[in-house]
Amino acid sequence: MKTVLLTGGAGFIGGHTAAALVARGYRVRVLDSLDPQIHGPEADFPAYLHPDVERIRGDVCSRHAVRRALAGVDAVFHFAAQTGVGQSMYDMQSYVRTNCLGTATLIEVLVTQGVRLDRFVLASSRAVYGEGTHGCSTHGAIYPGPRRREAMAGGDFAAHCPHCGDRAEPRPTAEDRPLGPTSLYGLTKKQQEEYCQYAAAVFGLPVVILRYFNVYGSRQSLNNPYTGVATVFFSRIRDRKPISLYEGGSPIRDFVHVSDVVRANLLALETDVPSGTCINVGSGEGVTIRELAELLGRICATEPNLLDRGEFRIGDIHAALADISLANRLLGYRPQRSLQDGMAEFVRWAEGQQSVDRYEQAVEELERHGLFGRRSKL
């Protein structure tokens, strides 16, 4: 029986992955700091965590905690991270500390303690790409940079070709394209990847990097307004509060259910793939934010109050959907949960949960730091 460590394993994806690993006969150990923003002000390990999971409360930046957590392990899933795109733009020290220093500490202890692993899986993000891959009728596949605030204030939210300036259309984003994160969160995830690639090349760490797209499902934090648009929309619909659709609801995202992500995690653990490989984990399908809000309204049997107030966030991208052909070829990964079915599962769970709507507080923070804009003419 092999032992698997999950850093950040009490969280949304970690908790689901822990249960799946126990069901497959692994010993599972979790290292988690139980961040109050995710787990609440009087946080303890959540009740949903499988009873057979060994729990260690500790900081991934602490060498002592990491040494204790790594004792006798055969594999590691590194989930521990701060994950809010908008919040990362001003809460820089916290994000760099947890995401970068935490990853460096984990790898340092692995190396200095001589821990030999069968597999190290890094939970990365589509945020490393920045704006998703697009297509230009003249220049083919292109990789747009950050959108200009002035253009968005004028109502132009589309991505444009960096060569000719024409409006570009979204295309599936493959792993071999250039990386160009537009948020501090994306930059920290890129750094995590680079640390892991370095450890793979220099120390032979058997790394697989999974780039998650927009993960949703049961146990996602309903109290953290910085992660998970589905949770924000659900809470607003349930409380019959208006939903302000950024960029008129036109942004496109690839939503993948947590059960499909867990399946990809297990495949990455148990499949022989070259060390250092980066693999997208998504649904391969794009949906607009407006379409998502309307779908949640139908599932909740409540007409959502959708407002277009011309609002947008600096650092957001307009469109990203995953090319999952590499995941299919190397891991045999195929998403099995449709958006309709997956969102219904999420709503069934969320309806039985208590939540605190901190959306307005998050908007105030973004606005105070100059990261929130509005169209000049509606």
Side-chain angles (χ1 to χ4, degrees):
M1 185 184 291
K2 294 189 175 183
T3 300
V4 182
L5 169 67
L6 282 63
T7 71
F12 167 42
I13 299 174
H16 281 284
T17 303
L21 288 167
V22 170
R24 291 177 79 87
Y26 291 94
R27 292 192 190 95
V28 178
R29 180 181 300 153
V30 161
L31 172 67
D32 203 299
S33 65
L34 301 177
D35 185 342
Q37 182 168 285
I38 300 168
H39 297 281
E42 299 179 0
D44 198 354
F45 283 98
Y48 61 67
L49 203 58
H50 195 284
D52 291 342
V53 171
E54 179 186 353
R55 299 154 167 83
I56 298 176
R57 184 166 188 168
D59 186 348
V60 73
C61 297
S62 162
R63 290 187 182 94
H64 173 74
V66 170
R67 278 196 297 268
R68 180 184 170 200
L70 283 172
V73 304
D74 300 288
V76 172
F77 281 94
H78 184 31
F79 296 120
Q82 300 275 9
T83 58
V85 169
Q87 187 183 39
S88 77
M89 303 290 277
Y90 59 86
D91 192 8
M92 300 177 189
Q93 186 181 66
S94 176
Y95 276 73
V96 170
R97 180 185 181 278
T98 300
N99 298 1
C100 300
L101 179 59
T103 302
T105 303
L106 182 58
I107 293 173
E108 178 187 292
V109 175
L110 282 169
V111 171
T112 58
Q113 298 296 305
V115 180
R116 298 295 178 184
L117 298 178
D118 297 329
R119 177 70 76 211
F120 183 104
V121 180
L122 172 66
S124 188
S125 167
R126 59 94 182 151
V128 300
Y129 296 119
E131 190 67 57
T133 300
H134 282 64
C136 170
S137 57
T138 303
H139 297 96
I142 57 168
Y143 313 111
R147 295 173 295 165
R148 295 185 303 109
R149 181 194 291 262
E150 296 78 13
M152 291 193 287
D156 181 6
F157 300 121
H160 291 264
C161 176
H163 308 294
C164 65
D166 286 354
R167 184 187 180 105
E169 295 301 321
R171 289 186 180 179
T173 298
E175 295 86 349
D176 59 356
R177 58 150 285 175
L179 304 184
T182 60
S183 66
L184 190 96
Y185 169 65
L187 286 168
T188 64
K189 299 306 283 187
K190 181 174 179 285
Q191 280 205 342
Q192 283 187 318
E193 292 193 7
E194 290 170 349
Y195 296 165
C196 290
Q197 298 281 13
Y198 161 79
V202 175
F203 301 107
L205 188 68
V207 172
V208 175
I209 297 168
L210 300 181
R211 292 172 176 164
Y212 302 148
F213 278 63
N214 290 69
V215 187
Y216 71 95
S218 56
R219 304 178 188 168
Q220 193 165 15
S221 176
L222 297 176
N223 299 316
N224 185 353
Y226 299 101
T227 59
V229 66
T231 63
V232 173
F233 284 1
F234 168 79
S235 295
R236 305 290 286 183
I237 291 170
R238 180 172 65 177
D239 296 343
R240 300 186 182 278
K241 294 180 179 179
I243 295 174
S244 180
L245 294 173
Y246 293 166
E247 303 179 34
S250 62
I252 296 170
R253 297 291 184 267
D254 182 325
F255 292 95
V256 56
H257 191 265
V258 66
S259 62
D260 285 321
V261 171
V262 170
R263 190 172 300 108
N265 290 343
L266 296 180
L267 288 167
L269 175 66
E270 298 175 346
T271 306
D272 185 18
V273 296
S275 182
T277 302
C278 300
I279 303 173
N280 288 337
V281 179
S283 69
E285 299 180 358
V287 61
T288 69
I289 298 304
R290 177 180 290 276
E291 290 168 339
L292 176 69
E294 291 170 345
L295 173 61
L296 281 168
R298 291 194 297 273
I299 293 171
C300 295
T302 302
E303 184 72 24
N305 181 11
L306 305 180
L307 304 179
D308 179 3
R309 298 190 287 215
E311 296 171 340
F312 58 89
R313 296 192 313 180
I314 304 301
D316 272 354
I317 62 166
H318 187 66
L321 61 151
D323 180 336
I324 56 174
S325 57
L326 186 65
N328 178 252
R329 179 163 57 85
L330 294 184
L331 301 178
Y333 166 79
R334 295 179 181 83
Q336 297 182 8
R337 203 120 196 202
S338 70
L339 185 63
Q340 170 76 41
D341 181 48
M343 284 295 171
E345 183 273 343
F346 163 70
V347 168
R348 285 194 299 271
W349 167 81
E351 285 177 335
Q353 308 300 309
Q354 292 184 339
S355 64
V356 178
D357 184 0
R358 296 191 173 94
Y359 169 76
E360 299 296 345
Q361 172 190 330
V363 170
E364 289 173 6
E365 285 292 314
L366 292 170
E367 196 157 21
R368 186 162 64 89
H369 291 94
L371 298 169
F372 191 81
R374 294 179 178 84
R375 286 201 310 265
S376 53
K377 294 182 179 179
L378 297 180

